[in-house]
Amino acid sequence: MIDFDGGDSALAVLGALLDRSLTQIGEASADARRFDRELIRATADVWDSNSLPFFRAATADTPSERERRALAALEWMAGFGEERRAWVLEQAAAAGHPVDGLLPPAKPSLPGRDYQGRVTAPVMAMTPWTAESLAADYDLPSAEVRSLHVERAGSRLTGYLELAVSRSCPVDDEISPDDSPESAMLDIRLRGITEVRFDSHDARGVAFRPDAEGTSIGIGSRGALRAATADVSPDDRFRHLSAAGRRADATTPPRESRPAPAGPPREGGLGDYAMAAATLLHHAMLEIRMVRYHQHAHQAPVRVLQRVFAGAGQAVLTAGGHRPHLRREAAFRRLIETWARRGGPAMTEWIAEVLDVTGRQPDFVADLREQARAARAVGAPRRSAPTPWALPGPPESELRLAMYTAAHTRYGTHHDSSALVHLAVPPHPEDAAGTPWRLRSARSTGLARFQLRTEAFQGAGHARVTVDDDALRHVLLRHGALHITSGDGDHDPS
């Protein structure tokens, strides 16, 4: 017997959200020219802590219990601030399951307190009031750009700006004589970027100019960033001494009076095969989420995992609807075997490794490994894919990400200056027809200069690499709209 909840139940919403998430991840990773690293990261991150609650809801014994668990899971999923709640509402509606009436109102982002009871800053939209408050609390004319990254996310430009700033308030009474306060940091997220003008030789001093059209940030004497929206998060352990911190301290309740944050729903046990399937989905999302690490984003097996787990939401609902327990367990075993077949020997081995490490189903793991060995034995030998480096001359490429980090010392550790770029490059001429563009990464350290303009992201071009009379290495793209000058540091293309 199969007992499945359809319609607009909370359980159906969870299944539809998972399937839509996997579809979006597939679309965002299908071709490097449309690669959307942030969408992939954020979507996979949703299912880090929501995979197990979904499986527990899908396998409950009665319709009322399934719906109760699913609603708790949905509320937990949407409970990570206004942005996450908006994501759940938008994606559920797009999947044909509007849930406006199912979710409680979003909790606004408010100041909190750290473990010492000191008030901390929330994430704040860059408004005229925010800009005025930051200018009062920090010496913005002496601010220094610690890091800048601009990235093509799908068809739009996004970015992050990290500023090291001196405080306007004294902090000497808060530190020991042997201690020295590090600069405060302002972390600024930008969306809908329309203008980039940055030169690391002109990276001291900033001015925030929000208006009705968006936010402009002046950098140095000639640099600028312009975006539709911006928000800022101060990273300052002495924030409580600032004027804004003192105002927040007067209205923020003590740490002890706040209820402890609730954890994910944990009600309900899972059978061995259901738990194995949940573990695999969870690990797949963790692997996909590796794109969060800029230097390794091109190595994350996003497309393979998305193809293997596509449709998992509906498949889990169907398997979880089997009764009694033994039939349900058999259905989840078949689901795992389906995932293994889709991925071939390499995916079968990955499934076996995940289940082996987590101690799930040792006999089943042995069977999977035997299937993988048999498939490799009968499979025809395959030529490894040609590398773009084998092409004569530099290949055409599109800039997807440009990241600059200034030399600095943080928590007593020195970090050299560096630049990281992501490039979308075309397939090798010997690749099969229809092969998508791939993502490549290159990193340089020991920078002499980093220059970036908006035009670097406007279409494909040929990267040019030269070495001047001073042995400085120059990397230029789109007529110098991206110009990276480095000395004797490392150059790591991959």
Side-chain angles (χ1 to χ4, degrees), residues 378-390:
V378 301
R382 298 179 62 188
R383 178 177 60 85
S384 59
T387 169
W389 293 103

Side-chain angles (χ1 to χ4, degrees), residues 26-37 40 151-157 303 396-401 422-427 433-440 457-461:
E27 293 171 349
S29 61
D31 189 289
R33 290 168 295 181
R34 298 182 294 277
F35 192 77
D36 193 334
R37 190 184 61 85
I40 296 168
E151 180 171 14
R152 176 77 62 188
S155 60
R156 59 195 194 286
L157 282 179
R303 291 173 58 206
E396 184 182 45
S397 60
E398 285 190 12
L399 183 65
R400 300 300 301 179
L401 176 145
H422 288 173
L423 297 172
V425 298
T435 299
W437 285 41
R438 58 172 65 88
L439 196 68
R440 275 175 51 193
F457 292 92
Q458 295 174 350

Side-chain angles (χ1 to χ4, degrees), residues 288-305:
I288 291 171
R289 200 178 63 178
M290 279 180 57
V291 299
R292 73 193 306 171
Y293 303 109
H294 302 89
Q295 193 169 350
H296 304 293
H298 64 296
Q299 298 170 330
V302 179
R303 291 173 58 206
V304 172
L305 290 170

Side-chain angles (χ1 to χ4, degrees), residues 419-434:
L420 175 71
V421 298
H422 288 173
L423 297 172
V425 298
H428 191 279
E430 297 180 17
D431 283 336

Side-chain angles (χ1 to χ4, degrees), residues 97-136:
H97 296 271
V99 294
D100 305 64
L102 289 177
L103 299 177
K107 297 178 181 178
S109 179
L110 298 172
R113 294 186 182 275
D114 63 16
Y115 72 99
Q116 294 179 302
R118 295 172 173 175
V119 72
T120 58
V123 177
M124 301 174 289
M126 185 66 79
T127 64
W129 183 91
T130 302
E132 182 179 346
S133 175
L134 293 172

Side-chain angles (χ1 to χ4, degrees), residues 198-212:
F198 177 75
D199 185 341
S200 62
H201 281 191
D202 182 29
R204 183 178 178 86
V206 298
F208 301 131
R209 305 184 185 97
D211 56 35

